[in-house]
Amino acid sequence: MATIDGLPPLREVLRTHDLVAKKSLGQNFLLDLNLTAKIARSAGDLTGADVLEIGPGPGGLTRGLLAEGARKVLAIEKDTRCLPALAEIAAAYPGRLEVINGDALEIDPLSHLTPPIKIAANLPYNVGTELLVRWLTPKDWPPFWESLTLMFQREVAERIVAKPGSNHYGRLAILAQWRAEAKIVMSLPPEAFTPAPKVHSAVVHLRALPAPRYPANAATLSRVVAAGFNQRRKMLRASLKGVAPDIEAKLEKAGIAPTERAEKVTLEQFCRLARIVDGQE
């Protein structure tokens, strides 16, 4: 990879710019350019697409995305220490890398991007889940993105692809699988990162469906699912009592036993319950 873009290896970049990952920013740098290129390829054909990257750090994945043919990469980086390294990448790929210094939770990237748009990122651990939920729950669907290729802690990745009845099944599985095809495409050991985290990581690829699998209001479904899984060991009639005063009747109408627990309820049943709560059935 270094020979492709003429830029130095990432360990050299870290030394040159005195970059040390900050725990407070959820940083773990992935320095193997072969791995970052593989992650970029797992996002599919990037030619003719704009790519949004969150938390590029020293730019390993950024270089992979550009080398794999992304039309443009918009990289949002909160850490000002990483900006000089990213500027060097921008110089090597004239007009194809735009860097915004700021908080991804507060920035609207759409004015900087042209469809088709893909999102690819080694997400900072402390904001990854919140960003994913935001991308999965816009009011209107299809969303602005075609696909998400995101690295998480392995446990979070397993929660995204989990099936009903499994230990990992919960809110993330419901929201991801309602509107997208989700699969784990790569696993990475702790030693692939600097510093090495205490857990394994995995890359999840989510492809936006043209329409949700079942009709439901996104805000209502999110509220019902959050309440249901907030107290996993409780029966749904107890965990959902704040959702509606007659929740037992609504559960029964949705074909869900009031004594059931959330982890046994299917996506289709949750969507029907959301419609019933909204008075649509």
Side-chain angles (χ1 to χ4, degrees):
M1 180 67 66
T3 57
I4 292 175
D5 57 23
L7 293 167
L10 285 169
R11 291 192 185 278
E12 186 177 323
V13 172
L14 295 189
R15 287 194 299 269
T16 300
H17 297 287
D18 195 24
L19 287 174
V20 179
K22 281 188 176 181
K23 188 175 182 180
S24 62
L25 294 175
Q27 291 175 330
N28 294 93
F29 297 148
L30 183 60
L31 302 183
D32 186 333
L33 289 169
N34 291 316
L35 284 177
T36 58
K38 188 176 180 181
I39 295 168
R41 286 193 293 272
S42 69
D45 184 6
L46 300 180
T47 56
D50 282 8
V51 180
L52 171 62
E53 183 186 8
I54 308 298
L61 179 57
T62 314
R63 288 164 67 173
L65 295 167
L66 290 164
E68 290 298 319
R71 178 177 59 197
K72 173 185 174 179
V73 174
L74 173 66
I76 299 177
E77 178 54 66
K78 188 175 184 179
D79 188 354
T80 56
R81 300 176 308 146
C82 296
L83 300 183
L86 295 170
E88 292 173 358
I89 301 171
Y93 291 93
R96 292 177 57 202
L97 173 60
E98 180 182 355
V99 180
I100 296 179
N101 177 215
D103 187 338
L105 295 173
E106 300 173 358
I107 293 172
D108 180 3
L110 287 184
S111 61
H112 302 265
L113 297 166
T114 303
I117 298 165
K118 299 186 178 189
I119 301 177
N122 172 11
L123 290 173
Y125 283 161
N126 51 0
V127 297
T129 301
E130 183 173 352
L131 283 169
L132 174 63
V133 170
R134 287 189 185 190
W135 291 327
L136 290 171
T137 55
K139 182 180 179 182
D140 298 314
W141 197 267
F144 73 88
W145 51 270
E146 287 189 350
S147 68
L148 309 172
T149 306
L150 307 171
M151 188 185 302
F152 295 99
Q153 295 179 35
R154 176 80 194 189
E155 182 181 349
V156 176
E158 289 175 346
R159 283 161 51 195
I160 293 168
V161 303
K163 300 304 179 187
S166 69
N167 291 335
H168 292 289
Y169 183 68
R171 175 171 170 251
L172 282 185
I174 293 289
L175 296 182
Q177 296 170 41
W178 177 43
R179 287 171 153 178
E181 292 278 2
K183 61 181 179 179
I184 293 175
V185 294
M186 276 181 69
S187 295
L188 295 98
E191 54 269 23
F193 299 86
T194 299
K198 295 179 180 179
V199 296
H200 282 67
S201 299
V203 177
V204 182
H205 182 75
L206 299 102
R207 180 181 60 83
L209 295 172
R213 295 183 193 278
Y214 309 102
N217 175 275
T220 305
L221 180 63
S222 295
R223 183 163 57 95
V224 169
V225 171
F229 285 101
N230 189 42
Q231 303 176 73
R232 296 178 69 98
R233 296 179 183 177
K234 283 194 172 185
M235 298 176 186
L236 283 173
R237 66 184 178 196
S239 59
L240 294 180
K241 63 182 179 182
V243 171
D246 55 343
I247 193 60
E248 285 202 39
K250 286 179 165 56
L251 283 164
E252 289 174 351
K253 187 175 181 180
I256 305 168
T259 55
E260 191 62 274
R261 290 175 171 79
E263 57 266 30
K264 300 290 187 181
V265 178
T266 66
L267 168 61
E268 183 177 9
Q269 288 175 315
F270 267 121
C271 289
R272 187 175 182 205
L273 179 61
R275 295 196 302 273
I276 291 168
V277 168
D278 278 338
Q280 295 175 350
E281 282 195 23

